[in-house]
Amino acid sequence: MAVGWDAAVPYVELSREQWSELRKNTPLTLTEGELEELRGVDDPIDLAEVTDVYLPLTRLLNLHFTGARQRNAAVSTFLGAGREPAPYILGIAGSVAVGKSTTARLLHTLLARWPEHPRVELITTDSFLYPNRVLAERDIMHRKGFPESYDRRALVRFVADVKAGLPEVTAPVYSHLEYDIVPGAAQTVRRPDILIVEGLNVLQPAPPTALAVNDYFDFSIYVDAKVEHIRDWYVDRFHKLRRTAFEDPKSYFRHLAEMSDEEATAFARDVWRDINERNLVENIAPTRGRAGLVLRKGADHSIRRVRLRRV
C-alpha cells in the first residue's frame, strides 16, 4: 500500500488497518503461550494486535537498523578506522499503566528473532531510580517516578557507554516487589545489536550544557492514550496486584492487600490523581512530540492509530 501525506506535515497518521498493510511478508514468530508470558498485568493484547501492529513495527525498525548500520559504516570508512558497528538504541516512553512495558518486552522478543540483530537487550529506567534511603533523605519519596527521583547522570553514562561499544556495561537492578534498588545486584549488557531503553521520562530534554539519554537514541516510541482511560487501567491493575503480588510477604505493599475493595479503589484513585496523573501531565505527555512513532490506544487498551514522524 502506498501511503499519501502532506509534505508540509512532519507526521503521517495511519489507522490500525492502514498500518497493518505495511507488514508485507513479515512472519509471525510468536506463539500464544509466549505472548501470555510477555503480557503485563491487565493488558489484553492478543496475537491479532501483534500481527496488525507489532509486525509492521518490527519491519520498520529492521529497515531503520539497517540504515543506521550503513551510516556508521560510512563514517568509519571516512575516518579510515575499522570498528564494530555501534549498538542501535531504541527508547520507549509513556505513562504508568499505559502498557509501555509490554511493548518493550514484546519488541525485545520479536526483534531478537530477526537474523540481522539477534542480540537484543532491554533495560528499564527503574534501575536508575535513587535508592529509597536517598529519596527519603531528599524528602521526595512521594515523587518517585518524577524526573528528580532518577540518577540521570548514571543513566546517561550507561547508555553512552553501551553506544560507545564498551565490552561490558552494568546497571543497578530494581525490585518492584521490594520497591527499591537491590543492594549489590547488577544487570550486565555486553555489546548488543539493539538496546531497548524503557521508562517514563526517557524523552525528556536535558538541562542546559548537558546531554539527555534520548540524544543517544536511534529511534523512539511513545505509547499514548487518553488520561481517563489510563486512570481506569491503573485502578484495575491495582486491584489485580492486590490479589497477586501484594500478597507476597516480601512485598513493600503487603498492607494494601488487606484493604477492602472500596478502600483500595479510593486509595488507587488518590495515588493516580496526586502522583501519576500529575507526572504524566507535567513531565511525560509533553515529550510525546519528540518520539519518532506514537502508538495511540483506545478505551479497550488496543492500539487504534499510529503516528510516524517522517522527517
Side-chain angles (χ1 to χ4, degrees):
M1 178 191 70
V3 178
W5 55 59
D6 184 341
V9 178
Y11 294 96
V12 56
E13 185 155 348
L14 306 169
S15 67
R16 174 165 164 168
E17 292 71 24
Q18 291 172 311
W19 176 258
S20 70
E21 292 183 31
L22 300 174
R23 170 192 174 186
K24 301 301 183 184
N25 59 350
T26 305
L28 176 61
T29 59
L30 197 71
T31 67
E32 181 60 49
E34 290 172 321
L35 179 59
E36 181 64 31
E37 294 180 0
L38 297 171
R39 282 191 189 100
V41 176
D42 205 36
D43 191 332
I45 186 172
D46 56 21
L47 287 178
E49 182 159 299
V50 173
T51 300
D52 289 347
V53 177
Y54 288 94
L55 294 188
L57 179 52
T58 60
R59 175 174 174 251
L60 170 66
L61 290 172
N62 185 59
L63 291 169
H64 205 268
F65 171 89
T66 301
R69 281 285 169 96
Q70 291 171 346
R71 290 194 299 274
N72 289 340
V75 172
S76 295
T77 298
F78 172 73
L79 294 174
R83 53 164 291 180
E84 286 194 24
Y88 181 93
I89 301 184
L90 169 65
I92 300 178
S95 170
V96 167
V98 78
K100 66 184 181 304
S101 296
T102 297
T103 292
R105 289 190 295 268
L106 189 52
L107 288 176
H108 174 253
T109 299
L110 292 172
L111 290 171
R113 294 178 179 179
W114 283 76
E116 290 85 354
H117 33 74
R119 296 175 299 165
V120 182
E121 296 280 359
L122 170 61
I123 191 83
T124 72
T125 57
D126 289 343
S127 294
F128 295 91
L129 283 161
Y130 286 114
N132 286 352
R133 61 173 180 78
V134 175
L135 298 177
E137 288 169 1
R138 299 182 181 184
D139 195 25
I140 55 172
M141 271 293 289
H142 62 292
R143 290 180 66 82
K144 197 169 190 176
F146 283 69
E148 65 269 26
S149 66
Y150 294 90
D151 187 342
R152 187 191 62 81
R153 290 183 180 179
L155 173 59
V156 171
R157 184 167 58 248
F158 171 85
V159 175
D161 286 346
V162 173
K163 193 69 169 176
L166 268 60
E168 291 189 352
V169 186
T170 59
V173 173
Y174 183 81
S175 168
H176 287 276
L177 183 68
E178 299 175 19
Y179 196 58
D180 203 356
I181 297 294
V182 180
Q187 176 181 348
T188 302
V189 172
R190 298 179 176 87
R191 282 184 177 165
D193 297 312
I194 297 176
L195 173 68
I196 300 172
V197 182
E198 177 255 308
L200 299 173
N201 298 299
V202 296
L203 295 179
Q204 278 215 316
T209 74
L211 287 173
V213 64
N214 56 77
D215 287 321
Y216 295 95
F217 291 172
D218 293 281
F219 196 79
S220 57
I221 297 168
Y222 185 96
V223 185
D224 194 25
K226 290 184 177 180
V227 173
E228 59 268 29
H229 295 159
I230 308 175
R231 177 200 61 212
D232 292 343
W233 302 338
Y234 175 81
V235 174
D236 289 345
R237 187 180 74 171
F238 183 84
H239 280 291
K240 289 196 175 182
L241 288 171
R242 285 179 57 240
R243 297 189 294 270
T244 53
F246 291 176
E247 292 186 341
D248 190 312
K250 295 180 180 179
S251 173
Y252 180 89
F253 298 105
R254 178 69 181 85
H255 62 289
L256 300 179
E258 299 170 1
M259 288 182 169
S260 69
D261 287 347
E262 294 76 13
E263 290 172 328
T265 296
F267 178 85
R269 284 181 174 271
D270 287 346
V271 170
W272 171 260
R273 182 193 63 238
D274 297 338
I275 300 176
N276 295 312
E277 182 175 351
R278 185 175 174 186
N279 195 19
L280 171 59
V281 172
E282 293 178 3
N283 301 302
I284 302 168
T287 70
R288 178 175 49 210
R290 301 172 65 88
L293 181 136
V294 177
L295 299 174
R296 179 73 172 178
K297 292 190 170 186
D300 63 353
H301 221 303
S302 67
I303 294 168
R304 289 295 161 203
R305 300 193 69 81
V306 178
R307 188 176 67 169
L308 174 65
R309 182 190 289 272
R310 65 181 193 82
V311 292

